[in-house]
Amino acid sequence: MNSKPQPNYYLTESERKFADLIWDHEPINSGDLARLCADQFGWKKSTTYTFIKKLCNQLLFQNNDAIVTSLVSKEDYTRVQSEQFVESNFGGSLPRFLAAFAPRKKYSATEIEEMMKIIADYQEDK
């Protein structure tokens, strides 16, 4: 059974800023992206093309006929990053994750209501 290659969700800070630029402007011509990176990051064209190739190899983006688009949405990337953070830092326990924030701040009734609604929406046995 051949399994489909999965995207690599690990990005350095520079790669994440670059990915954000693509997500904010996609679909974008690779030449336009190089100009945008020169303006925003001071990068040479070759640096931009190196980053495009790397993130395409990680299966997060694609470059077809010099048009760069995402294979993974920003929302999906952020969701996976959040899940991995909770897994690695809190043993996958969302209650432990939330408890880490409880002593640091008082929450408004509106914030608590929003959190309760999210929990209710995903409750197993409704």
Side-chain angles (χ1 to χ4, degrees):
M1 173 160 73
N2 289 340
S3 63
K4 183 180 172 188
Q6 295 298 307
N8 177 356
Y9 286 90
Y10 175 78
L11 296 178
T12 65
E13 185 178 342
S14 295
E15 291 167 346
R16 175 60 197 255
K17 288 178 181 178
F18 178 69
D20 284 338
L21 204 57
I22 297 171
W23 282 316
D24 290 345
H25 294 89
E26 71 174 311
I28 185 167
N29 176 280
S30 58
D32 293 338
L33 183 57
R35 284 186 285 286
L36 200 55
C37 288
D39 292 344
Q40 299 247 340
F41 309 133
W43 288 0
K44 294 180 181 177
K45 184 189 257 188
S46 60
T47 303
T48 299
Y49 288 113
T50 298
F51 270 70
I52 290 171
K53 184 176 180 183
K54 182 168 187 196
L55 271 59
C56 287
N57 287 341
Q58 288 181 232
L59 304 177
L60 296 171
F61 296 93
Q62 62 185 351
N63 184 5
N64 291 326
D65 297 324
I67 302 298
V68 180
T69 57
S70 62
L71 294 171
V72 174
S73 70
K74 185 174 187 175
E75 294 76 18
D76 284 345
Y77 173 83
T78 302
R79 181 186 48 76
V80 169
Q81 286 292 300
S82 299
E83 289 170 355
Q84 289 175 346
F85 178 80
V86 171
E87 184 63 40
S88 65
N89 292 284
F90 299 94
S93 170
L94 189 55
R96 284 181 50 207
F97 171 76
L98 293 173
F101 291 93
R104 304 184 126 254
K105 177 184 173 194
K106 295 291 183 192
Y107 296 95
S108 70
T110 302
E111 289 173 315
I112 292 171
E113 188 176 313
E114 287 176 23
M115 288 186 272
M116 297 296 284
K117 183 180 179 333
I118 291 168
I119 292 167
D121 287 347
Y122 291 97
Q123 187 173 357
E124 271 184 36
D125 301 313
K126 283 189 174 184

